[in-house]
Amino acid sequence: MSNLTEIRWHGRGGQGAKTAALLLADVAFKTGSFVQGFPEYGPERMGAPITAYNRISTNEIRVHSNIYEPDFVVVVDEGLLDVVHVTEGLKESGGIVVNTAKTPDDIKHKLGGYKGRVYTIDAKKISKACLGRYFPNTPMLAAIVRVSGVMDKDTFFAEMENSFSHKFASKPEVIEGNMNALRMAFEEVK
């Protein structure tokens, strides 16, 4: 399959990892890509570890399974680095994006010897600054789009604004904050 990008998301129930994966699939689909976006649940409760997945390709996607050797991993909750083997199967040609105020060098020791690219972003700081509350999924979504290059920045922002306009039609005041969080995250990922 040419131009296939596989992404695995690690988060906790209620942090929006599943929502972010589904949003990424929706936006990529609108740009003409073939996509998959789906979650995998363990115990379905707030705060429990969850995994979600994306496949994005220029060709039809015929595989229908979990992703065992992702190109990229997104870790929405830094605490999962201590309890989940987030780099399992992660290709060294890809990268990992972790929600933390720390630098990539500060967290490398928690990544089980992973030798690929490590990126960090303080999604908590960004979401509180732009949204007034802690919603890490919006900044993490922008960070993985920037790191993975699955779509052009301007296309991503335009499609996200369309998506937010539809999703938040009854509360348009939320759109600007979410767009600001996307823009800030796109620039601040380290």
Side-chain angles (χ1 to χ4, degrees), residues 92-115:
E92 290 188 2
S93 59
I96 184 168
V97 181
V98 180
N99 174 13
T100 180
K102 298 173 184 163
T103 68
D105 286 337
D106 291 339
I107 63 165
K108 282 184 181 178
H109 71 280
K110 291 187 171 196
L111 299 179
Y114 178 67
K115 304 256 188 277

Side-chain angles (χ1 to χ4, degrees), residues 39-60:
E40 173 186 35
Y41 296 102
E44 294 184 43
R45 66 182 193 278
M46 184 75 85
I50 68 110
T51 308
Y53 305 92
N54 285 112
R55 283 190 180 96
I56 302 170
S57 180
T58 56
N59 296 335
E60 187 175 348

Side-chain angles (χ1 to χ4, degrees), residues 63-129:
V63 63
H64 298 282
S65 67
N66 288 347
I67 295 171
Y68 300 104
E69 295 181 351
D71 298 292
F72 297 94
V73 166
V74 181
V75 181
V76 181
D77 186 320
E78 178 184 7
L80 292 173
L81 297 178
D82 298 322
V83 295
V84 176
H85 187 79
V86 296
T87 58
E88 183 174 5
L90 177 58
K91 295 175 185 168
E92 290 188 2
S93 59
I96 184 168
V97 181
V98 180
N99 174 13
T100 180
K102 298 173 184 163
T103 68
D105 286 337
D106 291 339
I107 63 165
K108 282 184 181 178
H109 71 280
K110 291 187 171 196
L111 299 179
Y114 178 67
K115 304 256 188 277
R117 294 174 290 159
V118 178
Y119 300 89
T120 59
I121 183 159
D122 191 346
K124 183 175 189 172
K125 177 191 84 171
I126 292 169
S127 66
K128 285 193 171 190

